[in-house]
Amino acid sequence: MTDTTSSAPGTPGTTERPAAPLDAPAENNPAMTRRETLEALSGILLGVFVSLLATTITSTALPRIVADLGGSQHSYTWVVTAMLLTMTVSTPLWGKLADLTNRKALIQVALVITVVSAAAAGFSQDMSALITFRALQGIGAGGLMSLATVLMSDIISPRERGKYMGLMGGVMAVAQIGGPLLGGVITDSFLGWRWTFFVGVPFAVAALVVLQKTLHLPARGVRKVTIDYLGAALIAVGVALLLVWVTFAGDQFAWASWQTAAMVGAAVVSLAAVVLVERKVTEPIIPLHLFRNRTFVLSIVASAAVGVAMFGTAVFLSQYLQLARGKTPTEAGLLTVPMVVGTMIGGIVLGRVISRTGRYKAIMVGGAALLSLSLLGMSTIGTQTSFVIISVYLFGLGLSVGALMQNLVLATQNTLDVREMGAGTATVAFFRSLGGAVGVSVLGAVLAGSVKEDLAAGLARLGVPVSAMGDSAGAVPDMSQLPAPVVDVVAGAYTDGITGIFLIAVPMALVALVAICFIREIPLGERSGIQQARDLTAAQAADER
């Protein structure tokens, strides 16, 4: 594998290289002023805020929601997994569309899908409806998150992108702080949890207006739109089968069973067929030649591992705080603030450092090491652990995510051809979401099994039959309806189960650390995507003459 190679004009790059030629005449590629950049960025960031708010506002309310709708631990997991699954599957499709069509229109469509489906979830009367609407919400969220990053590459050069991605990190942090806290307050108020799904609508309207007024992109070259529907369908089938398998294996059927053989076999066939299809179609959703790029491959490995550690553990944090520690949704939201502050500092401060120095690898290595240590610390907490100590671990988790998530995308974009920026960026996001979806599903299955066993053993020690819990025996319990001795048993069961999944996530963080250590740091380019596209157009015109 060659690490640094320039591509011939008109041929998409497949190996690592600076993303843009640095010797093109500046007068032919005028950069946007800071004011123009911030104006264009405002609508993009507001769209990201709406997407994250619609996701995070339900996190502290979810234990109450699932209990009210009579859901089980498996259904609790699937409320999250369904959204991650559709976000994962749709992300590369959004990315490919971004390379072929109008990116501004795409992000507006994604915004509408996200908020309308979130509002519809507020009318859910059972878990099936809730999971269905969350799955639809994931389609829009996949578009918003991937398109926002692609649009940033259009208007900001890689060298400057670090500090602006820091602004995105700050917006994400505000949504992550405000979302759970606002969700907890609404859930505890007379409005009830359903209003956590409705509150994002006015923000979405504002985001659509701001995007329309501030985001002005030059016309792109016309390319024939050919969507790889077969590839998208095969990816969806393969990923869905794996998630269903890891969710229900060991509970609904044995790990070694015909159901396992059927699901895993069909998933392997589907994903193998994806490779064959992507090699033949005109516009593959995931261009396979990108996998010759070392930074691209290692960023995918690290992103998937970070996705497992990040999504797979954060999802169950509210259950620990509310079921194991007896906190209200509002209190649980407040207790996650250290993690979000860490994310904000990691994004904003470290992003500015990267823009000033042009160096990013050391920051990512440190972030991966801190992620491993923080997860290890979270695996030691119990029902009596000081919240000061827990806050330190959560701050470390947030800081590590801030140092890793956007910078892995930055490192990848710095090596991509401008014509494949959408597909390449979305593919990294795809594997991060896939890691998160698999992580939530696997860790949720582990948690469900652990809680079930510990609960049965704890009740047996009390001489209380499992039937004494009534409907709560197989569902996420409403702690206020349980007798005091049983509350202690349930709290202990959830504490042991949740700390166990933090420990399982540690090896995944170490995988990310190893992958990042092998990433080759390449100087950050000085040209935005718009400037690179103009360079390319000029070069093609010169060749035609």
Side-chain angles (χ1 to χ4, degrees):
M1 180 184 300
T2 304
D3 286 338
T4 54
T5 301
S6 298
S7 302
T11 303
T14 58
T15 50
E16 291 185 333
R17 57 179 179 74
L22 301 182
D23 55 354
E27 62 271 16
N28 294 330
N29 296 279
M32 296 173 67
T33 66
R34 178 175 174 81
R35 178 176 177 176
E36 291 171 336
T37 299
L38 289 174
E39 286 178 349
L41 198 58
S42 62
I44 299 172
L45 294 183
L46 189 52
V48 171
F49 176 77
V50 170
S51 174
L52 286 173
L53 183 66
T55 303
T56 61
I57 196 170
T58 60
S59 60
T60 49
L62 201 52
R64 181 81 56 84
I65 295 170
V66 176
D68 284 354
L69 296 180
S72 65
Q73 181 61 47
H74 282 306
S75 57
Y76 182 103
T77 300
W78 266 97
V79 171
V80 180
T81 302
M83 183 175 178
L84 287 175
L85 171 61
T86 53
M87 182 165 55
T88 299
V89 172
S90 65
T91 293
L93 185 58
W94 285 110
K96 174 53 67 176
L97 287 172
D99 287 332
L100 300 174
T101 60
N102 187 309
R103 293 174 177 176
K104 178 178 177 177
L106 280 178
I107 196 170
Q108 289 173 315
V109 170
L111 182 59
V112 171
I113 293 173
T114 300
V115 179
V116 170
S117 55
F123 294 103
S124 300
Q125 299 300 314
D126 54 44
M127 290 303 302
S128 297
L130 179 62
I131 291 171
T132 299
F133 288 126
R134 291 285 282 182
L136 291 173
Q137 186 180 346
I139 296 175
L144 282 170
M145 295 307 297
S146 59
L147 291 169
T149 312
V150 173
L151 286 167
M152 288 183 70
S153 73
D154 275 343
I155 61 178
I156 306 168
S157 71
R159 180 62 183 265
E160 291 295 307
R161 209 171 296 155
K163 64 184 178 184
Y164 288 104
M165 280 189 169
L167 290 177
M168 179 178 283
V171 169
M172 293 171 67
V174 170
Q176 288 175 313
I177 290 175
L181 184 56
L182 181 60
V185 171
I186 291 174
T187 301
D188 287 334
S189 73
F190 70 93
L191 293 173
W193 59 261
R194 293 186 184 278
W195 278 89
T196 62
F197 293 101
F198 305 145
V199 74
V201 174
F203 291 102
V205 173
L208 286 170
V209 172
V210 173
L211 277 168
Q212 186 62 34
K213 294 179 69 68
T214 63
L215 184 59
H216 305 294
L217 300 176
R220 298 172 57 82
V222 177
R223 291 173 64 180
K224 182 180 178 181
V225 178
T226 304
I227 305 301
D228 178 18
Y229 293 108
L230 179 57
L234 288 170
I235 292 172
V237 170
V239 172
L241 283 172
L242 288 176
L243 292 179
V244 171
W245 169 60
V246 298
T247 299
F248 294 111
D251 181 56
Q252 303 296 319
F253 51 82
W255 287 98
S257 63
W258 69 265
Q259 292 96 331
T260 289
M263 289 185 180
V264 175
V268 171
V269 170
S270 295
L271 295 177
V274 170
V275 177
L276 298 178
V277 170
E278 297 301 270
R279 293 179 65 180
K280 299 294 185 182
V281 296
T282 305
E283 293 285 355
I285 289 180
I286 302 178
L288 297 183
H289 66 261
L290 292 177
F291 288 89
R292 301 173 195 165
N293 181 326
R294 174 177 169 180
T295 296
F296 179 79
V297 172
L298 291 173
S299 294
I300 280 175
V301 173
S303 293
V306 169
V308 172
M310 180 176 64
F311 291 111
T313 55
V315 163
F316 303 105
L317 183 60
S318 288
Q319 280 192 300
Y320 167 76
L321 294 172
Q322 293 182 53
L323 300 180
R325 301 304 295 267
K327 300 301 179 183
T328 66
T330 302
E331 292 169 336
L334 287 170
L335 288 168
T336 62
V337 168
M339 181 168 65
V340 183
V341 170
T343 303
M344 182 167 58
I345 292 175
I348 295 176
V349 176
L350 296 180
R352 296 189 72 85
V353 171
I354 289 172
S355 290
R356 188 172 65 251
T357 64
R359 309 299 295 269
Y360 52 87
K361 182 175 177 178
I363 287 175
M364 293 196 298
V365 170
L370 182 59
L371 178 63
S372 304
L373 292 174
S374 300
L375 288 170
L376 185 61
M378 287 298 292
S379 72
T380 66
I381 63 178
T383 55
Q384 302 299 322
T385 304
S386 167
F387 282 112
V388 174
I389 295 176
I390 293 175
S391 295
V392 171
Y393 297 150
L394 291 178
F395 178 80
L397 277 176
L399 189 61
S400 61
V401 168
L404 288 171
M405 192 163 63
Q406 295 300 326
N407 291 329
L408 283 168
V409 175
L410 173 63
T412 302
Q413 288 181 334
N414 191 49
T415 67
L416 292 175
D417 186 277
V418 66
R419 290 160 294 180
E420 294 183 326
M421 191 65 69
T425 301
T427 300
V428 175
F430 165 78
F431 281 97
R432 183 177 64 225
S433 297
L434 179 61
V438 171
V440 170
S441 191
V442 171
L443 297 179
V446 170
L447 176 61
S450 174
V451 168
K452 184 178 180 180
E453 292 179 5
D454 288 356
L455 198 56
L459 292 175
R461 287 194 300 270
L462 292 176
V464 177
V466 176
S467 59
M469 291 189 64
D471 294 337
S472 296
V476 175
D478 183 346
M479 302 293 272
S480 64
Q481 303 299 316
L482 300 178
V486 176
V487 167
D488 292 337
V489 171
V490 173
Y494 273 93
T495 297
D496 292 343
I498 291 170
T499 55
I501 64 176
F502 277 110
L503 184 60
I504 293 172
V506 172
M508 299 309 301
L510 292 175
V511 169
L513 175 59
V514 173
I516 290 169
C517 286
F518 283 97
I519 288 178
R520 187 173 184 272
E521 189 170 45
I522 295 175
L524 294 175
E526 302 282 353
R527 289 196 164 314
S528 69
I530 291 174
Q531 292 173 299
Q532 293 177 56
R534 286 172 177 159
D535 290 342
L536 182 61
T537 300
Q540 290 174 337
D543 288 343
E544 290 173 359
R545 289 196 297 270

